[in-house]
Amino acid sequence: MLFKNTISNLARIRQVAEVLLRYGFEDVVTTTPLRRLVSQNRRLRWLEVDERPVFETTRWERIRLIIEELGPTFIKLAQALSNRADLLPQALIDEFEKLQSNVPPFPTEEARQLIEAELGRPLGEVFSEFDDVPLGSASIGQVHRARLHSGEEVVVKVQRPGVREKVEGDLRLLHELVRITAGFLRNQGLANPQDVVDAFERSMTKELDYTQEARAMEQMRKLYEHYTSFYIPKPYRELSTDKILVIEFVNGCKITDKAQLLAWGLSPETVAETGMDIYLTQIFEFGFFHADPHPGNVLVRPDGTIVLIDFGMVGKLTKQQKYAFAGVFIGMARQDARSMALNFRRLSLTSDIPDMRAFETDLNSLIEDFALLDVQEMSMSDLADSLQSIIYQYKLQVPGAVFLILRALVILEGIGKVLHPHFNTFEFVRPYGARILKEQYSPENILTEAEYTGTQLLALLQTLPIDLRQIMRKISKGDLRVKVELSGYASLLRKADQLVSRTIIALLLLASILFAGLSLLGHYPPEMPYFRGLPIITWYSLGAGLFLLLLLTMPQRSRRSE
């Protein structure tokens, strides 16, 4: 099996190399071990499918074309990366957002067989009706409408046969490609390509397990159990496995179907406002949100209730991340670049910003750009692009949920403008920012933070004596070893060595000058020789000082001459 997988991966890697060459990415192939898989005399065909020379398209467009040709797993990776503005330039993100996973449905007979195999009983024992025509299909699975014997209408999400093995094979290929091209990718600015693939692998593993989606739906249902304007369909856990998911069927229209909303006597403006309120509550109150609110996933019932479907992609923020994210918007509303910078630093997984002044200056420029705009001119899309550009420029490692939120807000703004002529996202976000600020500095939260800090301090005080005792015991036995690894330290050590040497010489020079001055105050015996009215010892001190002065200036001259 291992040999078979190796041969399969090799053939697939050779295919990838050929696709890269066909789209003009010779540099990727010729500067990495991929070059060994392509014959030297192979003639290149520099044409796309539509017969345009590849160099008439941009590099970013050609990357998208390559992804489309390599198949569904690569498309899903690119779609996931389209939410990571900290890793990719905006031009490439724009191309990745064009990718569509248009996969034809698989035969219904295979879906029936898989359901029966998963549930361990005939389909007729579970469903009184089962629609053979899928409602929709994607790269991972497809959805059928059905009815239980109890009369309840449901939808059945069925995983595509063999997709798990296909995805696992593609993931192995991705790991191998990253290993081969790691140096090239790092030179292109992608510092941690292996981490990206690891994160994608975790995401795909969750998506291949439908029980994860069922849990997310149940969690959201619990959070909103008392809401009357919002509904999440019920998952039937007893009829679901990791490969099939049975969910309550909900009747409704797409939220952007303005004509149907008006026919039902609903106000499109009210629907838009309710939808935005629901999403901002998920983000800023619960820190747990549906991350893919495109119109097909947001339905409206005839009574105006908003329904969210497809919880395959959800986002989470910790309490501290939620406060920091809100603080970015609050700082912008107050035109306070320093507050924005500090909250970005709190939001980042690593707070390494080399030049905070330049960072604050860029944030201030962003604030000035938006401060001059009228409320109706402000766009969440423009703001998201500007924020993502700054994140990419300064290589801030912010939680992936932040990009999911920005993307969701842009989508919601687009929906809102279809339904509401005066819809403005910022007007909805502003009160939530104030509410978050109030929550952050509430007595209860301050007490919680104090308790956490106290617990951490107490734990430190409890372990510190033991740690110190162990260190002292090792020191007394001569067993203490300190391991230090430095990178790129040669020039730093040279400068440190020069600095120490010059400092010692300067101190000796100062000592000789002081001694020469003090020697003039001494009372010497008649034998002490004098020259030009000064004792000879003073001349010796001045001579030593002159020599040290020459030594002090020589390194500078030698360095300049190099």
Side-chain angles (χ1 to χ4, degrees):
M1 178 62 71
L2 179 61
F3 179 75
K4 182 179 178 181
N5 287 336
T6 302
I7 296 298
S8 175
N9 279 347
L10 188 62
R12 185 78 165 124
I13 291 172
R14 182 178 286 111
Q15 178 196 354
V16 171
E18 291 182 353
V19 173
L20 288 169
L21 285 169
R22 187 161 66 252
Y23 285 97
F25 285 88
E26 283 188 312
D27 54 341
V28 181
V29 177
T30 58
T31 60
T32 67
L34 288 172
R35 65 182 179 275
R36 301 171 190 159
L37 302 176
V38 181
S39 61
Q40 294 294 326
N41 59 357
R42 182 181 179 276
R43 296 181 61 86
L44 303 180
R45 180 172 173 267
W46 301 96
L47 295 177
E48 289 182 30
V49 178
D50 60 358
E51 300 301 319
R52 279 193 303 162
V54 295
F55 287 115
E56 287 185 8
T57 59
T58 67
R59 187 177 180 87
W60 313 124
E61 287 178 292
R62 283 181 278 132
I63 292 175
R64 172 177 57 80
L65 293 168
I66 288 170
I67 294 295
E68 286 177 341
E69 187 159 336
L70 291 176
T73 305
F74 289 83
I75 289 174
K76 292 192 78 67
L77 172 61
Q79 289 171 334
L81 287 173
S82 70
N83 298 316
R84 296 302 305 272
D86 56 332
L87 300 175
L88 303 180
Q90 189 60 43
L92 184 55
I93 287 173
D94 293 340
E95 288 299 321
F96 281 174
E97 287 176 346
K98 298 175 184 177
L99 290 167
Q100 299 293 327
S101 301
N102 295 322
V103 181
F106 58 90
T108 302
E109 186 57 37
E110 292 184 22
R112 287 173 171 268
Q113 291 173 2
L114 192 144
I115 293 170
E116 291 178 344
E118 286 294 303
L119 297 181
R121 45 184 166 155
L123 195 74
E125 288 187 13
V126 183
F127 306 106
S128 60
E129 298 176 16
F130 187 87
D131 194 344
D132 286 340
V133 180
L135 292 175
S137 65
S139 58
I140 299 297
Q142 64 190 36
V143 178
H144 292 263
R145 192 169 173 178
R147 186 186 297 274
L148 301 177
H149 286 287
S150 60
E152 297 168 284
E153 288 190 272
V154 295
V155 291
V156 185
K157 197 172 181 179
V158 189
Q159 196 169 103
R160 191 174 289 272
V163 69
R164 188 183 296 272
E165 293 75 15
K166 176 69 168 61
V167 168
E168 288 173 352
D170 282 344
L171 287 171
R172 286 194 299 271
L173 172 65
L174 276 170
H175 281 291
E176 185 64 18
L177 283 172
V178 165
R179 187 188 66 79
I180 292 172
T181 62
F184 177 85
L185 293 172
R186 279 193 290 270
N187 290 336
Q188 300 301 309
L190 191 58
N192 53 346
Q194 191 61 59
D195 292 345
V196 173
V197 176
D198 289 342
F200 176 64
E201 184 173 20
R202 289 192 296 271
S203 173
M204 287 300 296
T205 301
K206 287 182 179 179
E207 193 167 348
L208 287 168
D209 183 0
Y210 286 166
T211 60
Q212 300 274 349
E213 184 174 347
R215 288 194 201 101
M217 295 180 73
E218 288 180 335
Q219 187 175 351
M220 190 70 77
R221 281 173 62 84
K222 188 174 181 179
L223 291 174
Y224 282 91
E225 60 185 346
H226 300 301
Y227 278 66
T228 57
S229 59
F230 180 44
Y231 187 74
I232 298 98
K234 179 181 74 172
Y236 291 80
R237 293 293 296 274
E238 69 279 7
L239 298 177
S240 301
T241 69
D242 61 339
K243 292 184 179 179
I244 64 170
L245 177 60
V246 179
I247 310 168
E248 172 189 5
F249 175 78
V250 178
N251 192 24
C253 70
K254 284 185 179 181
I255 191 170
T256 50
D257 191 347
K258 192 172 181 178
Q260 184 61 66
L261 296 177
L262 292 171
W264 284 339
L266 301 174
S267 165
E269 292 85 355
T270 302
V271 169
E273 292 171 2
T274 303
M276 180 58 79
D277 181 67
I278 288 168
Y279 251 89
L280 293 178
T281 301
Q282 291 178 38
I283 295 166
F284 291 112
E285 186 170 335
F286 300 130
F288 178 71
F289 57 95
H290 182 287
D292 193 18
H294 68 75
N297 285 341
V298 187
L299 306 179
V300 183
R301 283 174 160 178
D303 62 356
T305 302
I306 290 178
V307 181
L308 285 179
I309 60 175
D310 193 353
F311 281 76
M313 187 187 297
V314 294
K316 295 180 181 180
L317 287 175
T318 66
K319 183 185 288 187
Q320 297 306 319
Q321 290 170 348
K322 183 177 69 173
Y323 292 154
F325 183 71
V328 171
F329 282 89
I330 293 168
M332 183 175 172
R334 293 177 174 176
Q335 299 187 26
D336 185 349
R338 175 161 294 184
S339 174
M340 283 188 75
L342 290 174
N343 279 289
F344 258 125
R345 198 168 188 170
R346 291 170 56 201
L347 187 61
S348 299
L349 303 178
T350 59
S351 57
D352 183 20
I353 300 175
D355 191 341
M356 281 296 289
R357 287 189 177 182
F359 186 53
E360 287 182 24
T361 300
D362 286 343
L363 289 175
N364 192 61
S365 298
L366 182 148
I367 290 171
E368 289 176 351
D369 289 343
F370 283 88
L372 296 174
L373 296 177
D374 182 79
V375 172
Q376 295 304 318
E377 296 176 322
M378 297 180 77
S379 165
M380 190 64 218
S381 177
D382 293 339
L383 176 61
D385 287 346
S386 298
L387 289 175
Q388 290 177 166
S389 176
I390 288 175
I391 290 170
Y392 177 73
Q393 178 184 347
Y394 286 92
K395 302 298 179 187
L396 301 180
Q397 296 183 32
V398 300
V402 169
F403 301 106
L404 294 177
I405 292 172
L406 292 175
R407 175 177 174 270
L409 291 177
V410 170
I411 294 172
L412 290 169
E413 182 178 64
I415 292 173
K417 288 182 176 178
V418 171
L419 302 176
H420 197 315
H422 305 295
F423 188 87
N424 184 267
T425 307
F426 297 95
E427 292 300 309
F428 290 96
V429 173
R430 187 173 298 166
Y432 278 90
R435 193 184 306 173
I436 285 289
L437 199 63
K438 184 177 179 182
E439 176 190 333
Q440 183 178 0
Y441 296 106
S442 66
E444 295 84 2
N445 193 62
I446 291 173
L447 180 61
T448 301
E449 289 297 314
E451 289 176 352
Y452 174 76
T453 304
T455 303
Q456 294 293 100
L457 183 60
L458 182 61
L460 175 63
L461 292 174
Q462 287 174 337
T463 59
L464 187 60
I466 299 172
D467 294 338
L468 285 175
R469 192 178 299 118
Q470 290 176 348
I471 292 170
M472 294 303 293
R473 187 179 295 118
K474 287 186 177 182
I475 290 174
S476 64
K477 292 181 178 179
D479 292 337
L480 185 65
R481 294 184 177 89
V482 179
K483 184 179 179 181
V484 179
E485 292 184 4
L486 297 175
S487 177
Y489 59 88
S491 62
L492 182 62
L493 287 179
R494 280 197 302 271
K495 289 180 181 179
D497 183 57
Q498 291 173 1
L499 181 61
V500 171
S501 299
R502 288 166 61 82
T503 301
I504 293 172
I505 293 171
L507 289 173
L508 289 173
L509 175 60
L510 180 62
S512 66
I513 293 172
L514 287 172
F515 184 80
L518 292 172
S519 68
L520 297 174
L521 304 176
H523 299 284
Y524 304 105
E527 294 83 15
M528 172 64 70
Y530 278 72
F531 179 71
R532 294 184 181 271
L534 299 177
I536 195 68
I537 194 171
T538 303
W539 286 107
Y540 284 150
S541 298
L542 291 174
L546 180 61
F547 176 71
L548 291 168
L549 182 62
L550 289 173
L551 285 178
L552 193 62
T553 55
M554 278 178 63
Q556 284 187 330
R557 290 175 183 171
S558 63
R559 186 167 58 249
R560 286 171 186 162
S561 65
E562 286 175 357

